[in-house]
């Protein structure tokens, strides 16, 4: 049973982020907030890429971070998939090799890893570009490839950091639809960071509103629309 | 681009090309084959020591470059000192570098004396000494080129690789190294050509004995004292080797990075 | 670069600075600062003297003597290996006087028609074995130069000190096993000074000039090779009359200084 339970507190000279999370297996939690709210920082803290000042990250029975117990598991051993606003595909590898990277890094033989990667390309409908280099493909294709790469090793925790923000509106809708299908099939927990309520509504089961590093409200879109706790929430979910 | 730039640009190019033209014009062409045959030992020594130097620089210089590229979190004074140390051989007259190596590894040197007393090993006046002298002067070229390349690629790909489950070593081999390969290639070329032209540190630290420590530049310099024709031919040989290396590597591996 | 600048650049280690001056004696200071803008008037002339490295100390002294006797005249000394000096002059370096450590190198300049008058021998030098203090290699004579176990430095046969050393070794019936063939006598001396070699063959005057830094092992006259030191005014001299006077000093009252430095009379 994979369940993400976390309380991450990150302190920087200019701001502070304090976020509590509880995501059940197969569920998608969206962290919604304006730019500069500390969403990406909180996500990086879950990934182990940002030191915690206080708190813990537990995934299933494993403790990934715990400040008091001085536990801090390396990023590479957390079983995470991390997708960013830019695809960050490795430029020296083909799309197929990019998608196979996580499997190869975890020790899967080359042939098997490439076969599995091929399957992921099909699932995201980009099997045509497997042999292309990242610089030869479009933004939408690159983001699908990045999703395939993150999902291929079957991570227990999928972290999506504004995965659709860099795409044109039309492409964004297509990729969002495919992403929704993939997320419903994903058996781990997912945390989606976004500033776009459309993403949150389409992809998430539950929404947390983060403003200036603090949780303002949490709930389903309907609940948020019914009684917004701030003017920001009201603007995002107009009644 | 303002047109006025063409004039100084042309002058700069002419300044670089004309000495080579003079060298080629003055070459004693009829006796070139014979003189080249006579300088084969020096040529062989230069190429072997140059390649060995390049290999050593790659082996030790790449790790140093990667460490330096990640040194931003170090205390500022430490970072500055390390950076200065890496750059010193670039600004130091090579002869001084040779003296420093003698004071370190010579028979009376800091390390050289115990080496001789305990193991009976003397370093100066040997082919390995040539390689050490060349490595001392050419290492910075490789380190700076590779460090620049590592910094240019940034750390984000390291994070991506780690998130995908790659150990640091796996990420280094499969991501960092391939991404900085163009920097490594151009650094290696700089390193080799610098080693090939090395004179001052070599003659000071390793001396000059035909077949053992007398590399092409030393042979050329000595030739100038007695037989300028042979010096010209040796200089042409050096030029030819450097050009072959630069032209062939530039075209094959460095396209896009240059 | 001037000698002073060179010395400044090498300031950190005193040993290094000495070596620098010795080893870098290759750039012609004649072309630099003081000599560059010498006015024609003899009263403020700069006399440019190219002299073999082994003459450095004695010609420094003679230069000062000359300057005292000729107020307004500055003597600039470019001391380097003879072959190198000859090469510089053949390439057009501006100089008034050339003094070399061998007839052969002087001949290359004479053959090119660059001498104002035939060269005249003003001193002789002979060879001596230089060893570091304490003579760690226990070198007793030229015969030791065939020992593979010793670290030995000679001048390359292309330069005068190497040619002389080769002649002496031949005369002694020794086939040498050197570890390095240096491009000048100063480099050989440097390596002996640093204790990096067990012995080197240099000029008698070099051993004297080095003071206690090296120890001399004499070479018997029967084996020794003597070299003539010729001096000549150059055809391209800026101040031929002054140059003549300097040559006269070297061949006349200046002989005392040369004797003191260990040179023999011509």
């Amino acid at each position: 049973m994979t369940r993400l339970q976390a309380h991450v507190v990150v302190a920087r000279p200019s701001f502070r982020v304090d976020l509590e999370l509880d995501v059940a297996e197969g569920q998608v939690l969206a962290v919604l907030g304006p730019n500069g709210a500390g969403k990406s920082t909180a996500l990086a803290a879950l990934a182990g890429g940002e030191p915690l000042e206080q708190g813990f990250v537990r995934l299933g029975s494993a403790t990934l971070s715990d400040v008091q117990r001085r536990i801090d598991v390396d990023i590479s051993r957390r079983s995470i998939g991390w997708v960013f606003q830019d695809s960050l595909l490795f430029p020296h590898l083909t799309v197929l090799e990019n998608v196979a990277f996580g499997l190869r890094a975890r020790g899967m033989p080359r042939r098997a890893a490439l076969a599995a990667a091929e399957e992921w390309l099909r699932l995201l409908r980009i099997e045509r570009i497997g042999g292309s280099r990242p610089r030869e493909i479009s933004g939408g294709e690159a983001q699908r490839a990045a999703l395939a790469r993150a999902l291929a090793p079957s991570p227990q925790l999928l972290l999506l950091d504004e995965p659709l923000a860099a795409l044109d509106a039309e492409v964004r809708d297509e990729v969002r639809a495919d992403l929704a299908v993939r997320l419903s099939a994903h058996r781990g927990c997912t945390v989606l960071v976004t500033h776009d309520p459309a993403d949150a509504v389409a992809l998430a089961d539950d929404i947390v509103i983060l403003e200036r590093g603090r949780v303002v409200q949490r709930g389903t879109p309907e609940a948020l629309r019914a009684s917004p706790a701030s003017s920001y929430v009201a603007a995002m979910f107009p009644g | 681009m303002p047109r006025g730039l063409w004039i100084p640009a042309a002058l700069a190019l002419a300044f670089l090309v004309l000495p080579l033209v003079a060298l080629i014009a003055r070459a004693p062409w009829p006796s070139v084959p014979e003189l080249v045959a006579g300088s084969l030992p020096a040529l062989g020594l230069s190429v072997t020591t140059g390649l060995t130097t390049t290999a050593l620089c790659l082996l030790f210089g790449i790790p140093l470059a990667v460490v330096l590229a990640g040194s931003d979190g170090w205390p500022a004074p430490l970072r500055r000192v390390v950076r200065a140390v890496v750059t010193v051989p670039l600004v130091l007259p090579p002869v001084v570098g040779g003296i420093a190596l003698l004071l370190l590894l010579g028979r009376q040197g800091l390390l050289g004396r115990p080496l001789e007393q305990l193991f009976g090993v003397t370093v100066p006046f040997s082919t390995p000494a040539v390689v050490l002298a060349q490595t001392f002067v050419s290492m910075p070229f490789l380190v700076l080129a590779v460090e620049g390349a590592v910094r240019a690629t940034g750390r984000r790909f390291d994070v991506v690789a780690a998130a995908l489950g790659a150990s640091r070593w796996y990420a280094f081999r499969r991501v960092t190294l391939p991404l900085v390969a163009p920097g490594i290639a151009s650094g290696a070329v700089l390193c080799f050509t610098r080693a090939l032209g090395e004179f001052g540190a070599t003659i000071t630290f390793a001396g000059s004995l035909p077949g053992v420590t007398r590399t092409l530049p030393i042979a050329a310099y000595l030739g100038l004292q007695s037989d300028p024709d042979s010096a010209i031919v040796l200089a042409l040989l050096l030029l030819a080797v450097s050009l072959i290396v630069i032209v062939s590597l530039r075209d094959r591996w460095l396209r896009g990075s240059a | 670069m001037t000698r002073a600048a060179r010395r400044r650049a090498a300031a950190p280690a005193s040993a290094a600075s000495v070596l620098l001056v010795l080893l870098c004696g290759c750039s012609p200071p004649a072309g630099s600062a003081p000599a560059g803008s010498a006015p024609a008037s003899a009263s403020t002339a700069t006399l440019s003297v190219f002299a073999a490295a082994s003459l450095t100390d004695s010609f420094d002294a003679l230069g000062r003597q000359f300057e005292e006797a000729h107020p307004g005249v500055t003597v600039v000394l470019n001391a380097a290996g003879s072959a190198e000096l000859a090469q510089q002059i053949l390439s057009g370096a501006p100089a008034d006087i050339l003094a070399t450590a061998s007839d052969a190198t002087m001949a290359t300049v004479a053959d090119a028609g660059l001498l104002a008058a035939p060269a005249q021998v003003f001193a002789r030098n002979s060879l001596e074995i230089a060893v570091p203090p304490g003579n760690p290699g226990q070198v007793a004579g030229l015969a030791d130069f065939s020992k593979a176990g010793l670290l030995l430095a000679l001048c390359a046969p292309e330069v005068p000190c190497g040619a002389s050393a080769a002649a002496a070794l031949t005369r002694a019936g020794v086939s040498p096993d050197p570890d390095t063939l240096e491009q000048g006598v100063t480099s050989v001396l440097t390596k002996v000074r640093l204790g990096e070699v067990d012995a080197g063959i240099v000029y008698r005057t070099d051993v004297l000039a080095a003071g206690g830094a090296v120890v001399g092992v004499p070479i018997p006259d029967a084996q020794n090779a003597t070299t003539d030191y010729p001096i000549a005014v150059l055809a391209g001299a800026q101040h031929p009359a002054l140059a003549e006077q300097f040559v006269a000093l070297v061949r006349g009252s200046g002989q005392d200084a040369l004797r003191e430095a260990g040179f023999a009379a011509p």
Side-chain angles (χ1 to χ4, degrees):
Chain A
M1 172 86 181
T2 308
R3 179 180 177 193
L4 173 69
Q5 292 171 289
H7 179 198
V8 292
V9 178
V10 180
R12 291 267 191 83
S14 51
F15 68 97
R16 184 179 170 87
V17 181
D18 187 331
L19 176 63
E20 264 184 277
L21 297 173
D22 193 339
V23 186
E25 183 171 274
Q27 297 287 296
V28 179
L29 174 77
V31 178
L32 182 68
N35 284 333
K39 309 184 295 290
S40 296
T41 306
L43 204 68
L46 293 175
E50 186 77 48
L52 294 184
E53 199 203 39
Q54 276 175 47
F56 61 88
V57 178
R58 279 198 280 279
L59 190 61
S61 57
T63 299
L64 301 183
S65 302
D66 192 320
V67 173
Q68 276 180 353
R69 289 161 61 197
R70 295 176 186 230
I71 295 173
D72 186 15
V73 176
D74 191 75
I75 303 183
S76 62
R77 299 174 174 276
R78 289 192 173 214
S79 184
I80 57 172
W82 197 354
V83 178
F84 306 86
Q85 185 169 335
D86 345 324
S87 66
L88 291 179
L89 295 175
F90 300 123
H92 61 292
L93 300 179
T94 64
V95 169
L96 186 66
E97 287 165 339
N98 262 283
V99 176
F101 186 92
L103 298 169
R104 298 275 292 122
R106 287 170 161 91
M108 187 184 281
R110 181 178 163 79
R111 191 186 290 262
L114 290 178
E118 197 97 54
E119 181 57 27
W120 277 102
L121 291 184
R122 237 189 310 283
L123 288 172
L124 283 147
R125 303 194 291 147
I126 47 170
E127 60 272 26
R128 296 166 290 105
I129 57 162
S132 307
R133 301 272 162 185
R135 64 180 131 78
E136 299 161 350
I137 63 178
S138 73
E141 289 167 335
Q143 210 55 1
R144 286 165 189 267
L147 276 169
R149 181 174 65 175
L151 286 166
S154 307
Q156 292 178 37
L157 175 58
L158 183 61
L159 303 171
L160 304 174
D161 189 352
E162 301 274 15
L164 308 173
L167 303 178
D168 300 338
E170 201 176 318
V171 180
R172 187 188 304 149
D173 290 343
E174 285 176 21
V175 178
R176 187 190 288 130
D178 284 338
L179 177 56
V181 176
R182 295 283 39 101
L183 288 182
S184 62
H186 182 235
R187 275 174 298 176
C189 312
T190 302
V191 178
L192 164 72
V193 155
T194 181
H195 70 282
D196 184 349
D199 291 347
V201 170
L203 301 172
D205 303 294
D206 215 358
I207 298 174
V208 169
I209 307 289
L210 197 69
E211 286 184 55
R212 288 189 295 280
R214 304 203 67 89
V215 175
V216 177
Q217 194 172 7
R218 55 181 88 207
T220 61
E222 293 71 32
L224 295 172
R225 190 170 287 120
S227 55
S230 75
S231 56
Y232 170 76
V233 180
M236 291 295 108
F237 298 94
Chain B
M1 182 178 63
R3 291 189 175 210
L5 290 186
W6 279 98
I7 296 161
L11 283 177
L13 196 64
F15 178 69
L16 294 176
V17 167
L18 289 180
L20 303 183
V21 171
L23 198 62
I24 291 167
R26 269 295 312 278
W29 292 110
S31 48
V32 161
E34 183 196 339
L35 287 171
V36 167
S39 38
L40 283 183
L43 175 65
L45 184 67
S46 270
V47 171
T48 352
T49 53
L51 288 176
T52 314
T53 295
T54 310
L56 281 179
C57 286
L58 288 171
L59 192 62
F60 295 99
I62 292 176
L64 178 55
V66 172
V67 168
L68 276 182
S71 68
D72 289 347
W74 298 4
L78 176 67
R79 212 171 57 228
R80 269 183 225 131
V81 166
V82 173
R83 181 157 303 277
V85 167
V86 171
T87 351
V88 154
L90 287 179
V91 295
L92 208 63
V95 173
V96 179
I99 293 168
L101 284 172
L102 265 186
L103 296 179
L104 177 71
L105 290 167
R107 287 205 302 179
Q108 305 298 323
L110 228 51
L111 283 180
R113 189 197 292 260
L115 265 183
E116 194 192 15
Q117 284 168 353
L118 297 178
F119 306 106
V121 178
T122 48
V123 183
F125 313 116
S126 61
T127 308
V130 176
V131 172
L132 287 178
Q134 292 178 350
T135 305
F136 180 79
V137 296
S138 25
M139 181 84 87
F141 288 88
L142 185 97
V143 172
L144 295 181
V146 176
E147 190 204 343
V150 174
R151 280 182 184 275
T153 61
R155 303 218 65 109
R156 299 193 69 192
F157 286 115
D158 294 344
V159 174
V160 173
L164 287 166
S167 67
R168 281 166 203 223
W169 183 239
Y170 189 88
F172 177 69
R173 279 188 303 128
R174 292 301 173 92
V175 178
T176 310
L177 277 187
L179 283 180
V180 301
I184 293 175
S186 62
V189 170
L190 282 174
C191 196
F192 179 72
T193 46
R194 178 68 188 86
L196 206 61
E198 216 303 305
F199 171 77
T202 309
I203 198 164
T204 310
F205 179 53
S208 159
L209 193 66
V212 181
T213 55
R214 186 173 292 167
T215 55
L216 267 185
I218 297 176
Y221 181 70
L222 199 63
L224 202 57
Q225 319 257 323
S226 56
D227 180 5
D229 277 358
S230 83
I232 293 171
V233 170
L234 287 162
L236 281 176
L237 259 183
L238 260 178
L239 190 67
V241 176
S242 310
L243 279 181
I244 288 169
V245 169
I246 292 172
V247 169
S248 62
L249 288 191
R250 281 268 157 207
D251 275 6
R252 224 169 281 162
W253 291 333
L254 307 187
R255 191 172 291 153
S257 77
Chain C
M1 203 198 270
T2 64
R3 307 192 119 238
R6 249 180 272 141
R7 232 172 244 137
R8 254 200 312 278
S14 64
S17 74
V18 169
L19 290 175
L20 257 192
V21 173
L22 295 175
L23 291 169
C24 294
C26 29
S27 54
S32 56
S37 54
S41 149
S43 63
T44 58
T46 297
L47 198 61
S48 168
V49 179
F50 280 30
S54 44
L55 293 168
T56 310
D57 291 344
S58 21
F59 269 45
D60 253 346
L62 290 177
R64 275 196 300 277
Q65 263 186 47
F66 193 77
E67 284 170 357
E68 274 165 31
H70 301 78
V73 175
T74 310
V75 177
V76 174
L77 183 64
N78 174 21
S82 299
E84 203 176 305
L85 294 173
Q87 190 57 43
Q88 287 174 10
I89 288 170
L90 290 174
S91 307
D96 296 294
I97 293 168
L98 173 65
T100 65
S102 87
D103 287 325
T105 41
M106 185 60 88
T108 61
V109 180
D111 291 348
L114 296 177
L115 298 187
Q120 293 161 306
V121 173
F122 67 94
R124 282 176 210 284
N125 210 344
S126 52
L127 298 174
E128 196 160 302
I129 300 169
V131 299
N135 197 354
Q138 316 216 323
V139 174
L142 287 180
D144 291 313
F145 277 77
S146 63
K147 287 186 181 164
L150 294 178
L151 280 173
L152 302 161
L154 294 176
C155 287
E158 288 88 344
V159 294
C161 55
S164 301
L169 286 161
T170 307
R171 222 175 286 169
V174 175
S175 54
D177 181 22
D179 293 279
T180 178
L181 299 173
E182 299 288 328
Q183 87 277 27
V185 69
T186 47
S187 313
V188 173
L189 200 64
T190 295
K191 273 154 186 151
V192 178
R193 264 172 189 260
L194 286 176
E196 292 304 334
V197 293
D198 296 306
I201 298 182
V202 299
Y203 294 115
R204 204 164 98 77
T205 53
D206 296 320
V207 177
L208 272 175
V214 304
V215 175
V217 175
I219 298 172
D221 285 344
Q223 297 173 349
N224 212 329
T226 54
T227 28
D228 292 344
Y229 278 60
I231 188 167
V233 175
L234 292 161
Q238 295 278 307
H239 310 288
L242 274 176
E244 286 295 349
Q245 290 173 37
F246 187 83
V247 171
L249 168 72
V250 169
R251 303 188 63 221
S253 61
Q255 290 283 312
D256 290 349
L258 289 164
R259 248 0 63 73
E260 227 168 90
F263 289 98

